[in-house]
Amino acid sequence: DTGVSQDPRHKITKRGQNVTFRCDPISEHNRLYWYRQTLGQGPEFLTYFQNEAQLEKSRLLSDRFSAERPKGSFSTLEIQRTEQGDSAMYLCASSLAAGAASSYNEQFFGPGTRLTVL
Amino acid sequence: RKEVEQDPGPFNVPEGATVAFNCTYSNSASQSFFWYRQDCRKEPKLLMSVYSSGNEDGRFTAQLNRASQYISLLIRDSKLSDSATYLCVVNPVYGQNFVFGPGTRLSVLP
């Protein structure tokens, strides 16, 4: 399977615990995005990387959230001191940054990690 | 005002019906536009990009009106398999983050 993969698929944790999610993008893709989706809503942008550089962070991303992409390949998203409001689906997507001639960069999504904070 | 707004739905239509979804966006400088489809408990998948001149892919037609900051998706001859949530997506700055609308759920009934 050469698509975007995420691990784990499901995570149940108690409030106050730390959790870490992993995303493996499509191998030749240099851009990687994290989104959060709650029931009945569209995905909300959290952050994105171009190679190993984190280029943008949403104001939704509080100090408890941190993301890394150390070698420009896989990425991790860590949530510290989880709160019940963090319960959501965390989606990772990747894309290939094309040149100026291309105006459309399709993002390919992984299956997501569903987080439940008790 | 939200950056991307869509018809609230849900839309319940019989097989064979034509259904249209509307979407508006607030950032007039937005660069590119898409419709994604999301099945229940699955990840979003690209349905089609939306070009300035409008574009068609089989039973699906997308239109963009930059002056009105409006995007539409028309589905003709609805199939049961079209049942899903349709997400309007706007790329405010080329190649950077996507802004998703809340989605419009479609149920095609036999």
Side-chain angles (χ1 to χ4, degrees):
Chain A
D1 186 353
T2 56
V4 179
S5 61
Q6 292 187 246
D7 183 69
R9 296 290 304 275
H10 304 273
K11 179 70 177 179
I12 300 174
T13 191
K14 292 183 179 179
R15 188 176 54 187
Q17 298 295 305
N18 299 343
V19 294
T20 299
F21 310 141
R22 176 179 170 126
C23 170
D24 287 88
I26 293 171
S27 59
E28 64 269 25
H29 284 183
N30 53 358
R31 287 196 174 143
L32 187 148
Y33 307 79
W34 285 99
Y35 293 86
R36 179 173 67 189
Q37 187 174 25
T38 52
L39 194 63
Q41 299 298 317
E44 294 176 299
F45 169 76
L46 294 178
T47 188
Y48 98 97
F49 294 83
Q50 175 144 334
N51 301 311
E52 65 275 11
Q54 188 173 17
L55 295 187
E56 188 177 350
K57 291 170 63 173
S58 164
R59 63 184 181 279
L60 295 174
L61 214 63
S62 76
D63 291 345
R64 297 184 298 106
F65 289 70
S66 62
E68 293 183 343
R69 194 183 185 199
K71 298 181 180 178
S73 56
F74 74 91
S75 175
T76 58
L77 177 68
E78 181 182 15
I79 309 174
Q80 296 182 325
R81 305 182 302 282
T82 52
E83 301 173 355
Q84 287 182 323
D86 297 332
S87 296
M89 175 73 83
Y90 289 84
L91 292 162
C92 175
S94 71
S95 71
L96 180 64
S102 173
S103 301
Y104 302 100
N105 292 324
E106 178 181 354
Q107 292 188 11
F108 295 82
F109 283 81
T113 295
R114 183 170 296 280
L115 173 66
T116 302
V117 181
L118 303 176
Chain B
R1 182 185 173 188
K2 290 186 178 178
E3 284 192 75
V4 180
E5 298 191 72
Q6 296 187 238
D7 290 331
F11 284 39
N12 298 312
V13 302
E15 270 188 289
T18 296
V19 60
F21 301 133
N22 300 310
C23 170
T24 57
Y25 59 96
S26 60
N27 186 341
S28 60
S30 294
Q31 299 291 318
S32 49
F33 310 89
F34 309 86
W35 284 100
Y36 271 68
R37 169 195 169 127
Q38 187 171 27
D39 294 299
C40 188
R41 296 188 171 274
K42 298 285 189 179
E43 70 273 23
K45 292 185 178 178
L46 179 67
L47 177 67
M48 58 196 305
S49 301
V50 185
Y51 303 127
S52 295
S53 56
N55 49 299
E56 187 174 309
D57 182 2
R59 298 181 293 108
F60 300 84
T61 301
Q63 296 281 347
L64 168 64
N65 184 324
R66 284 188 183 269
S68 301
Q69 295 175 213
Y70 168 87
I71 307 159
S72 66
L73 176 68
L74 185 75
I75 305 176
R76 291 180 300 278
D77 189 23
S78 301
K79 311 291 186 191
L80 296 176
S81 58
D82 294 333
S83 297
T85 295
Y86 290 82
L87 297 161
C88 176
V89 186
V90 174
N91 186 203
V93 179
Y94 168 67
Q96 295 184 20
N97 69 292
F98 280 12
V99 181
F100 284 78
T104 302
R105 188 157 59 88
L106 171 66
S107 293
V108 181
L109 309 173

